[in-house]
Amino acid sequence: MASVVLLCTSIAALVSAVAGELLTAEQFANAVPGHLELDPEFRKLHPNIPGPHEDVDPFIVGGVESIPHSRPYQVGLYIPVTTAGVSFCGGTLINARTVVTAAHCVDMRVGNISVFMGAHNMPPGGDLNIVARFAGDVVIHEGWNRAILLHDIALIRFEVAVPLSASIIPILLPRDATHDYLGNTTLVSGWGRPSDSVNTISPVLREVTSSVISNYACRLAYTGIIESSHICISGSHGRGTCNGDSGGPLVVNGVLIGVVSFGSAFGCEVGWPSAMTRITSYLDWISENQAPAE
């Protein structure tokens, strides 16, 4: 079975006052990687799935820096996972009051999530395009299961709508739940770490194009894991998602078709596919649980 690494990464240091609440520099400085493999219970469930390998370059590989503010649906999440630790994940704005992300990013949180929208740099600094929220209303799919990596999806809901702008625009969801997107060219974006030896995320948003492969082909890499509610992209030519991009968007023609879930520990450099939560499998669940836009 291929090594699997869930793509959620810690950050080093950031002081951020959001909605009157403060995350301390010490909390961020002491952050640890948010890989699912570091959870002792996960290690018991999956003893044959090792953690990340030191020779893998974990960021959006084979890609480029995004044009600033060209992905206005992209969200950055700082998530407290212990009383002193913070993890980083991506997310996608789907309406003015709702962000979709991966369940594994938020299921071990111990406090409110710092949510940044309209950012290109991360940590976001003083960019005037940025809107920040401190969010505690989180809905995790009731079927999410770390043991079998199914239903890795969650929603973060805001009490007050986010002011939209050229830098902050919700993404479209699919209209046809039967569309499999096989062979379509995809775009994945995120702030993945520049290397395993550096415990910080990329300072700028990066993106990479790939293509949707069949679940049968993906199943050959991840024996016993891939189901119909997953969607996979090719890792050929070193293109794929790596640590730091968990929860982020998989997009085709401006439509959100996946949420970054997991990938091989070898995937960034030797061509293993990246696995996502398939949005068309969850359209009803999203509709029932998202916050009204207004």
Side-chain angles (χ1 to χ4, degrees):
M1 183 184 299
S3 301
V4 175
V5 53
L6 270 148
L7 307 174
C8 187
T9 302
S10 301
I11 57 157
L14 176 72
V15 177
S16 173
V18 185
E21 301 195 45
L22 185 68
L23 295 175
T24 68
E26 183 179 3
Q27 284 178 306
F28 287 96
N30 293 333
V32 295
H35 307 304
L36 191 59
E37 291 84 350
L38 298 182
D39 177 6
E41 294 304 313
F42 179 84
R43 302 302 310 132
K44 294 176 184 177
L45 290 168
H46 300 283
N48 296 322
I49 301 179
H53 284 233
E54 290 300 320
D55 59 350
V56 173
D57 221 15
F59 62 99
I60 293 264
V61 243
V64 296
E65 179 179 347
S66 302
I67 297 172
H69 311 299
S70 63
R71 310 300 171 205
Y73 47 78
Q74 181 80 44
V75 176
L77 306 173
Y78 292 95
I79 306 140
V81 292
T82 69
T83 55
V86 178
S87 289
F88 180 86
C89 275
T92 310
L93 190 70
I94 59 171
N95 71 32
R97 292 181 55 204
T98 309
V99 168
V100 63
T101 188
H104 78 262
C105 286
V106 296
D107 66 347
M108 298 182 73
R109 72 185 181 93
V110 296
N112 289 344
I113 300 168
S114 297
V115 183
F116 292 94
M117 293 152 284
H120 178 69
N121 297 96
M122 198 63 65
D127 189 335
L128 296 179
N129 294 292
I130 293 169
V131 171
R133 289 289 166 86
F134 214 66
D137 185 0
V138 178
V139 181
I140 297 173
H141 193 283
E142 58 278 6
W144 162 234
N145 190 329
R146 283 179 172 244
I148 53 176
L149 303 179
L150 279 178
H151 311 302
D152 192 8
I153 188 169
L155 301 176
I156 301 170
R157 304 186 296 199
F158 307 134
E159 184 175 346
V160 178
V162 173
L164 304 182
S165 67
S167 300
I168 303 174
I169 302 173
I171 199 167
L172 297 174
L173 296 179
R175 292 185 177 181
D176 181 3
T178 66
H179 197 339
D180 64 9
Y181 297 97
L182 182 62
N184 279 223
T185 298
T186 62
L187 181 83
V188 182
S189 51
W191 288 278
R193 290 162 59 193
S195 76
D196 252 352
S197 61
V198 178
N199 199 28
T200 58
I201 60 174
S202 169
V204 296
L205 186 67
R206 295 178 62 85
E207 61 188 52
V208 66
T209 57
S210 186
S211 59
V212 176
I213 63 173
S214 70
N215 277 23
Y216 174 78
C218 198
R219 219 170 270 128
L220 295 178
Y222 300 112
T223 306
I225 295 177
I226 302 302
E227 300 291 346
S228 62
S229 58
H230 292 114
I231 186 169
C232 297
I233 61 171
S234 171
S236 63
H237 307 296
R239 294 176 179 270
T241 59
C242 302
N243 304 339
D245 303 307
S246 275
L250 174 68
V251 176
V252 168
N253 296 327
V255 175
L256 181 69
I257 68 166
V259 174
V260 178
S261 182
F262 62 89
S264 170
F266 301 104
C268 298
E269 293 184 344
V270 300
W272 288 98
S274 299
M276 324 285 182
T277 300
R278 187 184 291 269
I279 286 293
T280 53
S281 295
Y282 298 94
L283 291 175
D284 289 344
W285 182 84
I286 291 171
S287 178
E288 292 167 4
N289 289 281
Q290 67 184 346
E294 296 180 359

